[in-house]
Amino acid sequence: MSRRLRPGPSLKFPLCRALLRLSPNIEYIIIGSGIAKDLDSYCRKVALPLMALMTASLPLLAFIVLERLSPGALVEYLSLALAAASGLLLSIALSIGIPAFNYTSRADYLEAKFHVFASTLASLLAGGQNLSEALAGLAMYEDELKEFKVEINYIKLMTSLSQDPVVILNELSKITPSNSLRTLAESLAKGVSTGSDLLSIVSYQLETYTNYYYSLVDKVAASVGSLLEMFLSAGMIMPILVTIMGILFSVYPIHGVSFTSLVVLAIFILMPIISAVTVVLIDDQVSKIKL
């Protein structure tokens, strides 16, 4: 990571400045996503190679297609220029979208392990350490807090630069994708400014988080129970419906439709579809809890 705390005019690459204009928080997102240590490094390692690849491959593809179509020279030049411009725009969009996707993906994992981070910090504060010592002490628990590697490395760097804990916490709240950790960092920064009990702040945030997850578990359990009830109901009703339809068809036969076809439809088509939909819905609900 660079030594500047905020994105600024020291960016080396024009592409970095373009990304910063399009997405003012792009550097915080890049750092928080774990892709690179700062915007300059991201441009050098990812964005610039991506731009070169896209602006070269799309015109090459367009050239291959135009060679087969053999249009006029003017159309060919315009098509190649359009392909190059499209590649440039696509590379810029991907340069913003890739870290944003990784940033969002990290949020779920961090949120699920926030209680470990908060409990560790609370134990350090309860042991008599001040905030600076407690933040620096988090590095001793890197194995237990491996999901927070980006945040801990950031804290280590800023601590080594002798930055004020309030500054570290305010900047930490901007790079982390975890809503709970962001709230904790902001609360601690305000607590330092107002002289509040920091251990009480951490304990309160941990309690709030725990209560939220308790309610979330109840909601997910209720949703999963409802989905299983629907699946069981469908499984019980399906044979009855097939039997009734078979009886009706024996009395009022329909050309091209037989009882055997109904059984095949119910067993090999409808029930697998219902089962697959139920599994997907249950997995979606359960994935909300990753403790």
Side-chain angles (χ1 to χ4, degrees):
M1 280 170 49
S2 69
R3 288 177 176 263
R4 66 182 186 279
L5 298 179
R6 299 181 60 84
S10 60
L11 298 175
K12 299 177 182 178
F13 304 103
L15 179 59
C16 292
R17 292 190 284 272
L19 294 179
L20 193 58
R21 286 180 178 273
L22 293 172
S23 180
N25 294 324
I26 186 66
E27 183 164 30
Y28 293 128
I29 294 174
I30 288 171
I31 297 172
S33 67
I35 293 180
K37 61 183 180 180
D38 56 28
L39 184 54
D40 282 332
S41 297
Y42 176 74
C43 289
R44 183 176 67 255
K45 296 178 181 179
V46 179
L48 287 175
L50 183 63
M51 183 178 67
L53 175 64
M54 298 303 298
T55 54
S57 60
L58 287 186
L60 178 60
L61 180 62
F63 177 77
I64 294 174
V65 173
L66 291 172
E67 282 296 306
R68 293 178 176 272
L69 299 178
S70 300
L74 179 60
V75 174
E76 184 173 351
Y77 292 146
L78 289 176
S79 299
L80 292 176
L82 180 60
S86 300
L88 176 62
L89 294 176
L90 183 58
S91 66
I92 292 176
L94 289 175
S95 297
I96 295 175
I98 291 173
F101 176 78
N102 284 14
Y103 186 85
T104 304
S105 300
R106 279 195 75 228
D108 293 335
Y109 294 101
L110 296 189
E111 198 66 23
K113 296 298 182 181
F114 170 76
H115 63 290
V116 181
F117 184 96
S119 299
T120 303
L121 183 59
S123 65
L124 292 172
L125 291 172
Q129 297 184 2
N130 58 38
L131 182 58
S132 297
E133 293 171 342
L135 290 175
L138 290 172
M140 297 186 300
Y141 300 92
E142 285 183 305
D143 292 337
E144 293 82 355
L145 302 174
K146 56 182 178 297
E147 291 84 5
F148 297 89
K149 180 180 179 180
V150 173
E151 286 75 10
I152 291 178
N153 286 340
Y154 169 82
I155 293 173
K156 287 166 59 178
L157 173 64
M158 302 309 292
T159 302
S160 67
L161 297 175
S162 301
Q163 292 294 333
D164 186 85
V166 175
V167 175
I168 296 176
L169 290 169
N170 283 329
E171 294 296 310
L172 178 65
S173 68
K174 296 171 184 175
I175 70 166
T176 182
S178 170
N179 289 327
S180 296
L181 182 54
R182 183 181 304 116
T183 302
L184 175 61
E186 292 172 350
S187 300
L188 287 173
K190 293 177 181 177
V192 173
S193 302
T194 58
S196 303
D197 182 14
L198 301 183
L199 179 58
S200 298
I201 293 175
V202 178
S203 299
Y204 174 76
Q205 293 296 331
L206 184 58
E207 182 180 357
T208 302
Y209 170 86
T210 304
N211 291 335
Y212 166 75
Y213 258 89
Y214 277 141
S215 62
L216 181 60
V217 169
D218 291 339
K219 291 179 181 179
V220 170
S223 299
V224 171
S226 300
L227 291 171
L228 289 176
E229 288 177 2
M230 293 173 58
F231 176 74
L232 292 175
S233 298
M236 289 171 24
I237 293 174
M238 191 70 67
I240 298 175
L241 291 177
V242 171
T243 302
I244 293 174
M245 295 299 294
I247 295 173
L248 291 176
F249 285 160
S250 64
V251 178
Y252 302 101
I254 298 177
H255 180 70
V257 179
S258 64
F259 179 74
T260 302
S261 62
L262 285 177
V263 173
V264 172
L265 176 65
I267 296 177
F268 297 104
I269 298 178
L270 293 181
M271 285 307 298
I273 292 176
I274 294 174
S275 301
V277 171
T278 303
V279 169
V280 170
L281 293 176
I282 290 177
D283 180 71
D284 177 68
Q285 292 296 317
V286 174
S287 64
K288 296 178 181 178
I289 305 176
K290 298 179 179 179
L291 291 175

